[in-house]
Amino acid sequence: MSNQTVQPHQQASSLWSSRLAFILAAAGSAVGLGNIWKFPYITGENGGGAFVIVYLICIAVIGVPVLIAETMIGRRGGQSPVGTMRSLTESEGVSRGWRAIGWNGVIASFLVLSFYSVIGGWSLVYIGKAAAGAFVGADADAIGAQFGGLLGNPWELLAWHGVFMAIVIFIVAKGIRSGLERAVNLLMPLLFVLLIAMVIYAMNTDSFGRAVSFMFSPDFSKLTTQGVLTALGHAAFTLSIGIGVIMAYGSYLPKRVNIAGTAMTIAVIDTSVALLAGLAIFPLVFSNGLEPGAGPGLIFVTLPLAFGKMGGGIVFGAIFFTLLLVAAVTSAISMLEPVVEWLEEHKGVSRVKGALFGGLAIWFIGLGTVLSFNVWSDVHPLGFIGYFEGKTVFDLLDFLVSNLMMPLGGLAIALFAGWAMKREGLSDDIGLRGGIYTAFMAVLRYLTPAGIVVVFLYNFF
Ligand code: PFF
């Protein structure tokens, strides 16, 4: 390979059709189960307000700068994360060690999809349940039992995980414009509208005030150091940063698009969706006497209760879970993308075959997550280490990807863009000038890495 920056994706035919298309696709990647399923349940598990504040700080100080840097790196390299990091280390004349960023991405996106898709399968099941009226008139116990019944059945989980993966493989195989763009254009805005409707419903319960204070009045005595790491990991997870996904999407971004403005827009959309989801869900948790720390089943137990009680709940519920599915699919396709790009570039397989082989392998690895909720629910592979006590295979995978690979990938990206890359053209590339650019670079070079390092030091030493 020459030491010039090669940019195969920067040909007009494979670029996003507009800035809006990129925003929608990147927001489609960012907004997903992380916002609607994970954010509420980890907020509940970590005691509420203090966790939310740390999460918001992590978004601002770590998430947004890394999002900007990763998009910029992706556009400059114009290839899969592995190819991009290879050509940038050559053109910048820096150590080949930085290429680990690309590898970390391909491996992490592979692993994250293996468990994400299992939860995606739950949303498929819940579309059917809602449409069939399974929640009508059901009380908290009955709805809890329905969810428990699903988790207890590995075959059913495996089958729906398979259906979810099949949808993702199909869309990715069709390619960036026809597949990815079309899927997000209409459905993302619709999800937003429906969430607002859910919040309005929740405002009319008697527990809205309690939910707001749970989410926003901080009680730092409830926040552990592991909770702080979870907040940092979730800031990375929810913005899809640190593992090459944004780098892969950035490789299709036209030169004229302003990266900083675009990244800010994406972060604002993503954070609003998470906060709205919390405001929709916690009032229902409190008004039904449920436990905020109930874990991964939280939305699958609270929302059906509301749908079961409200007029038109069958239609409303079915639409809601359909949109949850769409949000999950648009994130999942972004996780498969780096794997497929890598297979295309380095193994010479076609896009269709890459999607199929990659997808099948991911489906298989998903078995570990499927079994974590039933047959292996008492298997704690690292239970002998105090820190990982009680963690199932699913918990460990989530921890590995969300709390280690994504933040550490983010750290490496911040260091690479802030310290290793040459400064020429950077300000234009990012789309910031003058004092704002200087301030941004200071954050990226010092504050972002320091934030990540400090959280890690507190957790592990
Ligand atoms: N950001 C997605 C969500 O919040 O659901 C999850 C995600 C997408 C994680 C892409 C990682 C990733 F590479």
Side-chain angles (χ1 to χ4, degrees):
M1 181 157 305
S2 80
N3 58 3
Q4 292 246 305
T5 309
V6 192
Q7 301 177 314
H9 297 173
Q10 291 285 324
Q11 290 152 3
S13 62
S14 60
L15 295 179
W16 300 105
S17 53
S18 64
R19 171 171 181 263
L20 184 65
F22 174 79
I23 292 189
L24 286 174
S29 169
V31 174
L33 295 171
N35 307 62
I36 301 168
W37 159 73
K38 197 173 179 191
F39 172 72
Y41 98 72
I42 57 177
T43 298
E45 283 180 341
N46 288 288
F51 176 84
V52 174
I53 288 182
V54 174
Y55 157 77
L56 291 174
I57 295 173
C58 289
I59 291 278
V61 174
I62 293 160
V64 173
V66 173
L67 182 58
I68 293 175
E70 189 172 339
T71 313
M72 180 271 292
I73 292 172
R75 182 165 72 182
R76 280 221 182 164
Q79 301 163 62
S80 78
V82 173
T84 283
M85 288 313 298
R86 180 167 59 204
S87 66
L88 288 192
T89 47
E90 280 168 7
S91 62
E92 301 285 326
V94 294
S95 158
R96 294 158 62 102
W98 292 107
R99 295 183 190 178
I101 294 177
W103 288 108
N104 178 55
V106 174
I107 297 167
S109 43
F110 187 89
L111 292 177
V112 69
L113 186 49
S114 82
F115 72 78
Y116 201 82
S117 163
V118 175
I119 318 296
W122 299 357
S123 56
L124 277 162
V125 175
Y126 271 68
I127 297 172
K129 280 190 192 285
F135 311 136
V136 179
D139 61 11
D141 287 344
I143 283 179
Q146 287 188 28
F147 184 66
L150 171 66
L151 289 196
N153 187 339
W155 292 108
E156 196 180 347
L157 292 180
L158 194 62
W160 289 108
H161 160 51
V163 175
F164 185 87
M165 276 311 297
I167 299 172
V168 175
I169 291 170
F170 179 78
I171 297 177
V172 172
K174 284 192 68 154
I176 195 99
R177 267 207 191 167
S178 48
L180 306 194
E181 277 197 33
R182 236 183 257 164
V184 289
N185 281 2
L186 176 72
L187 295 160
M188 290 295 303
L190 203 59
L191 176 73
F192 207 76
V193 171
L194 209 72
L195 262 182
I196 291 178
M198 291 294 297
V199 175
I200 294 173
Y201 176 85
M203 279 174 153
N204 291 314
T205 64
D206 52 8
S207 302
F208 191 71
R210 190 166 159 211
V212 171
S213 99
F214 177 74
M215 278 179 69
F216 298 108
S217 359
D219 172 356
F220 281 92
S221 69
K222 289 191 184 148
L223 191 63
T224 59
T225 47
Q226 207 179 116
V228 175
L229 178 62
T230 305
L232 166 66
H234 191 64
F237 186 87
T238 193
L239 290 177
S240 312
I241 53 171
I243 60 170
V245 163
I246 291 297
M247 211 183 275
Y249 272 20
S251 71
Y252 299 101
L253 187 65
K255 278 273 176 256
R256 60 191 146 74
V257 173
N258 177 318
I259 289 180
T262 309
M264 284 296 291
T265 313
I266 292 165
V268 168
I269 296 175
D270 186 75
T271 308
S272 325
V273 172
L275 296 178
L276 285 174
L279 288 174
I281 285 158
F282 285 114
L284 303 176
V285 171
F286 293 125
S287 67
N288 288 291
L290 299 168
E291 202 19 74
L298 191 64
I299 68 159
F300 294 95
V301 178
T302 48
L303 293 180
L305 265 175
F307 296 134
K309 283 185 197 159
M310 65 174 73
I314 292 188
V315 177
F316 213 40
I319 297 179
F320 181 84
F321 283 110
T322 306
L323 292 174
L324 181 65
L325 172 71
V326 172
V329 168
T330 54
S331 299
I333 54 186
S334 75
M335 299 172 195
L336 190 51
E337 186 64 26
V339 178
V340 173
E341 280 190 0
W342 179 77
L343 287 170
E344 274 185 303
E345 265 171 37
H346 297 261
K347 298 284 160 215
V349 301
S350 69
R351 191 169 181 90
V352 174
K353 277 203 184 132
L356 205 61
F357 291 151
L360 276 176
I362 289 167
W363 177 79
F364 183 73
I365 303 289
L367 199 58
T369 295
V370 163
L371 294 174
S372 297
F373 292 105
N374 36 70
V375 182
W376 288 354
S377 59
D378 290 326
V379 176
H380 307 133
L382 297 182
F384 56 92
I385 304 171
Y387 193 86
F388 296 113
E389 207 180 295
K391 289 205 186 316
T392 60
V393 172
F394 158 71
D395 295 328
L396 290 175
L397 268 176
D398 182 22
F399 186 88
L400 173 68
V401 175
S402 314
N403 294 6
L404 299 181
M405 295 177 92
M406 299 188 78
L408 290 177
L411 172 64
I413 287 169
L415 293 176
F416 183 72
W419 295 91
M421 285 176 77
K422 297 188 194 88
R423 294 296 187 93
E424 295 126 53
L426 220 52
S427 144
D428 279 346
D429 254 17
I430 290 171
L432 292 175
R433 264 168 243 302
I436 299 189
Y437 170 71
T438 313
F440 169 78
M441 284 310 279
V443 172
L444 186 71
R445 288 164 64 108
Y446 300 101
L447 214 52
T448 305
I452 300 175
V453 169
V454 166
V455 174
F456 272 85
L457 289 180
Y458 264 104
N459 259 271
F460 299 111
F461 300 101

